[in-house]
Amino acid sequence: MNTINSFSDRYKRNQNLLNQNQQDKLFKSKVCIIGLGGLGGCVVEMLARIGIGNLKGYDSDTFDSTNLNRQLYSQENLLGVSKAEATSERIKLINSQIQFKFLDTLLTNKNAYDLIKGSDVVMDCLDSIETRFVLEAASKKANIPLVSGAIAGVSGQVTVIFPEDKGFELIYGGKKRSSNHGIEKELGNLCYSAFLISSIQVSQCINILLNQNNILRNQLFVADLSSNFFEIIDLI
Amino acid sequence: MIKIEIRLFADLNEFQPVNFENFSIAEETSVYQLLLDFGIDPNRAKIIFINGKKSNLNDLINNGDRVGVFPPVGGG
């Protein structure tokens, strides 16, 4: 059985793309993931593998059989198990060198700020438009950039919201918005839209942590996989 | 008449015309009117973009414009 010899071996295949300073920066970074379902599971997996040193995440849900089509950490033997617990078990197996904490907790107006404070980036992997606005308000208050992903059917979108940005009102409208959910309630979601959009979220997170360009601030990456359509829309 | 590209996404895709890349509309048509002409309730349009820039229901469409419309997307 092979064992992990060193920190540098683990990230050897990163080294032509991330220099040592950048890898060290990621290891010192703290990322908070809200929602550990279709997007959140994939986001956590990638953040752990790329070497973010501190991960925390929250989801109050348990796995059911309708999650098996797309949620990375759902398994037939884990139906009824908390998503947070399953996420912890998975991360233990793939990167024991990082600090992590995943809790069976629902994000609310009251606890949102306390859950995310101290993070360098917050990842919005929620499935409710109203709760996205709650998370945005908390992220602004805590002065933390927010990377938001959303999917429906074979479509999806990603944006990045810094504390001074207008944010979700540019996408979902202001207080007059009509619905708490998008068309995913009618369409459902296929696994590849979750995996694609979570990948864009993670690349945006890394760009933010490493102070790189091409961050989707005031922009919306949209994808529709039924027509091979990808575009970045300027929101302002 | 003017020629535009019109892309309708997700559950709106069923309304997308076959010749969506070279679609004829009357001059001075707004996005709102275009959606009505397709039989789409304009309230279903959440993200409207013309030539890669966020636009509104009342914006008029010009010759050669690339128009896209998404319904609300909120799943995770």
Side-chain angles (χ1 to χ4, degrees):
Chain A
M1 184 176 168
N2 290 328
T3 56
I4 302 165
N5 292 322
S6 69
F7 183 85
S8 61
D9 278 355
R10 172 183 289 278
Y11 301 115
K12 203 173 180 69
R13 294 294 181 273
N14 288 0
Q15 283 174 0
N16 290 337
L17 300 157
L18 299 170
N19 64 35
Q20 192 60 51
N21 286 342
Q22 290 174 320
Q23 191 71 64
D24 290 345
K25 177 86 189 294
L26 295 184
F27 196 71
K28 290 174 187 157
S29 296
K30 298 173 183 172
V31 177
C32 178
I33 303 96
I34 305 295
L36 299 170
L39 292 174
C42 294
V43 162
V44 170
E45 176 92 5
M46 286 184 269
L47 293 174
R49 287 189 185 276
I50 203 169
I52 304 296
N54 292 272
L55 296 176
K56 62 179 177 180
Y58 305 96
D59 197 314
S60 64
D61 208 358
T62 56
F63 284 120
D64 67 44
S65 51
T66 68
N67 300 147
L68 289 167
N69 79 322
R70 69 193 186 286
Q71 299 196 12
L72 186 60
Y73 298 158
S74 63
Q75 299 178 189
E76 292 180 8
N77 64 336
L78 293 181
L79 302 184
V81 170
S82 119
K83 294 181 180 181
E85 184 186 334
T87 304
S88 296
E89 292 304 314
R90 172 71 174 175
I91 299 307
K92 263 184 222 166
L93 293 174
I94 62 172
N95 195 344
S96 58
Q97 295 172 338
I98 65 175
Q99 303 291 314
F100 60 87
K101 179 177 73 174
F102 299 103
L103 297 178
D104 191 1
T105 302
L106 180 70
L107 181 126
T108 66
N109 253 319
K110 285 187 177 168
N111 68 7
Y113 175 81
D114 288 330
L115 294 186
I116 66 171
K117 71 180 177 187
S119 305
D120 297 305
V121 174
V122 174
M123 307 297 278
D124 165 19
C125 303
L126 289 160
D127 62 359
S128 145
I129 293 171
E130 282 307 314
T131 315
R132 290 177 193 276
F133 278 89
V134 171
L135 180 58
E136 178 190 56
S139 302
K140 288 182 171 182
K141 183 180 172 189
N143 202 31
I144 305 171
L146 178 67
V147 179
S148 176
I151 53 174
V154 292
S155 299
Q157 60 191 40
V158 179
T159 192
V160 173
I161 303 170
F162 274 58
E164 59 270 38
D165 297 341
K166 278 195 167 179
F168 285 138
E169 72 171 81
L170 295 173
I171 298 167
Y172 296 113
K175 290 195 165 61
K176 287 191 294 180
R177 59 186 174 275
S178 53
S179 171
N180 184 28
H181 292 288
I183 39 99
E184 64 280 357
K185 288 294 167 198
E186 289 80 45
L187 293 178
N189 294 301
L190 290 186
C191 55
Y192 44 77
S193 34
F195 281 58
L196 168 73
I197 293 302
S198 56
S199 297
I200 306 292
Q201 285 185 272
V202 170
S203 79
Q204 287 294 295
C205 176
I206 301 307
N207 285 354
I208 294 167
L209 292 171
L210 299 181
N211 297 314
Q212 292 177 334
N213 296 325
N214 301 318
I215 292 170
L216 294 164
R217 283 184 74 180
N218 298 313
Q219 292 182 316
L220 187 67
F221 169 90
V222 293
D224 180 80
L225 293 169
S226 68
S227 55
N228 294 327
F229 181 87
F230 305 90
E231 183 139 326
I232 294 171
I233 302 167
D234 290 324
L235 294 173
I236 56 174
Chain B
M1 301 292 279
I2 58 173
K3 294 277 191 180
I4 66 163
E5 178 185 308
I6 173 68
R7 289 176 182 266
L8 302 167
F9 295 103
D11 65 338
L12 303 179
N13 187 250
E14 63 179 300
F15 298 97
Q16 182 171 287
V18 174
N19 55 341
F20 67 94
E21 290 177 304
N22 192 26
F23 189 70
S24 295
I25 62 170
E27 289 184 35
E28 303 282 303
T29 299
S30 66
V31 176
Y32 185 92
Q33 186 58 51
L34 181 66
L35 293 174
L36 286 181
D37 291 346
F38 283 128
I40 299 171
D41 175 356
N43 289 323
R44 293 174 67 185
K46 186 54 72 176
I47 300 161
I48 299 159
F49 50 104
I50 299 178
N51 304 327
K53 186 162 177 51
K54 178 182 159 66
S55 303
N56 299 305
L57 283 171
N58 294 329
D59 288 340
L60 298 181
I61 304 169
N62 295 307
N63 190 42
D65 278 353
R66 296 170 51 242
V67 182
V69 183
F70 270 93
V73 171

